[in-house]
Amino acid sequence: EAAVTQSPRNKVAVTGGKVTLSCNQTNNHNNMYWYRQDTGHGLRLIHYSYGAGSTEKGDIPDGYKASRPSQENFSLILELATPSQTSVYFCASGGTGPSQNTLYFGAGTRLSVL
Amino acid sequence: GEQVEQRPPHLSVREGDSAVIICTYTDPNSYYFFWYKQEPGAGLQLLMKVFSSTEINEGQGFTVLLNKKDKQLSLNLTAAHPGDSAVYFCAVTGTGGYKVVFGSGTRLLVSP
């Protein structure tokens, strides 16, 4: 079973502060993704990565940066957090070939920006 | 780009009843279709993956139908039980693509 671990599970940040959300996967998947989940919007793609050293913009990248220092780790960085970034964030990994579109999700990080 | 509309946003049924969730997508070249289940406080878990070549797929207690003509994907829980209470998401992607587009989710409540 694919394993994706997110940390922290809950985070309270102040407006203007820097926030880093971390994700680790042990499935040796090339692709990793960051989504945010908001009521009425489903999951929206923020950033994704094809492998170590690569990051790509998703549908809503503004205000976020991403870092993929290794195959296993993918971070989401909010340099200047704003209340509009209060949300639940999910990391996912996916393989290549026929399985590449099947995503395996972490348990999520609930972020509140005050 | 691909857009996915999911309905209803909320669904409440009694134990033993059926429950149907429908997603409508826009890209006729979409190739992979997914249903995910999200339980409270947890991430999404894959319920079923459907390829465009197969129109009917059956799982444990549910059936997934793919209507390519109308570009609709449906999840039918045949005899719901309280353990099925969760948020369900459909997702769609195209051939060779990285991008998985999700519906907005359906919160299903099954009461005893």
Side-chain angles (χ1 to χ4, degrees):
Chain A
E1 179 82 15
V4 180
T5 304
Q6 293 182 232
S7 63
R9 291 295 315 277
N10 294 280
K11 174 74 177 178
V12 179
V14 295
T15 298
K18 181 177 181 178
V19 177
T20 300
L21 307 183
S22 300
C23 180
N24 175 275
Q25 54 107 351
T26 59
N27 343 297
N28 199 31
H29 284 160
N30 287 338
N31 302 334
M32 295 187 74
Y33 307 80
W34 277 107
Y35 289 87
R36 63 178 284 177
Q37 182 180 23
D38 303 286
T39 303
H41 290 280
L43 276 76
R44 292 182 289 175
L45 181 63
I46 306 170
H47 284 287
Y48 62 99
S49 168
Y50 291 127
S54 100
T55 60
E56 306 290 336
K57 293 180 179 180
D59 296 323
I60 53 165
D62 293 346
Y64 303 93
K65 288 172 55 179
S67 174
R68 183 86 181 271
S70 64
Q71 178 82 337
E72 297 79 19
N73 295 296
F74 190 37
S75 297
L76 185 69
I77 303 152
L78 290 67
E79 294 277 6
L80 294 170
T82 67
S84 65
Q85 293 175 313
T86 293
S87 186
V88 180
Y89 291 85
F90 287 98
C91 174
S93 74
T96 54
S99 299
Q100 70 176 11
N101 300 116
T102 301
L103 301 183
Y104 296 88
F105 285 83
T109 295
R110 184 174 295 276
L111 173 65
S112 296
V113 182
L114 306 178
Chain B
E2 175 80 88
Q3 294 184 27
V4 179
E5 180 182 330
Q6 183 173 344
R7 56 185 169 89
H10 301 277
L11 184 57
S12 184
V13 302
R14 303 296 289 269
E15 185 173 7
D17 288 349
S18 64
V20 180
I21 303 170
I22 297 174
C23 286
T24 305
Y25 58 95
T26 56
D27 186 350
N29 296 317
S30 295
Y31 195 78
Y32 296 108
F33 307 85
F34 307 83
W35 283 103
Y36 286 87
K37 178 182 180 181
Q38 183 183 30
E39 296 183 341
L44 281 71
Q45 288 195 305
L46 181 70
L47 202 59
M48 179 168 280
K49 179 177 182 178
V50 177
F51 295 95
S52 64
S53 58
T54 307
E55 296 187 336
I56 301 175
N57 291 264
E58 294 184 347
Q60 281 193 324
F62 61 90
T63 301
V64 172
L65 299 177
L66 176 62
N67 180 336
K68 290 178 283 186
K69 173 178 172 292
D70 295 332
K71 296 195 287 294
Q72 277 194 345
L73 177 73
S74 66
L75 173 67
N76 186 341
L77 283 77
T78 48
H81 57 85
D84 292 327
S85 297
V87 181
Y88 292 82
F89 291 92
C90 62
V92 179
T93 192
T95 307
Y98 70 89
K99 190 172 177 181
V100 181
V101 180
F102 286 84
S104 54
T106 296
R107 185 174 298 276
L108 172 66
L109 176 64
V110 183
S111 54

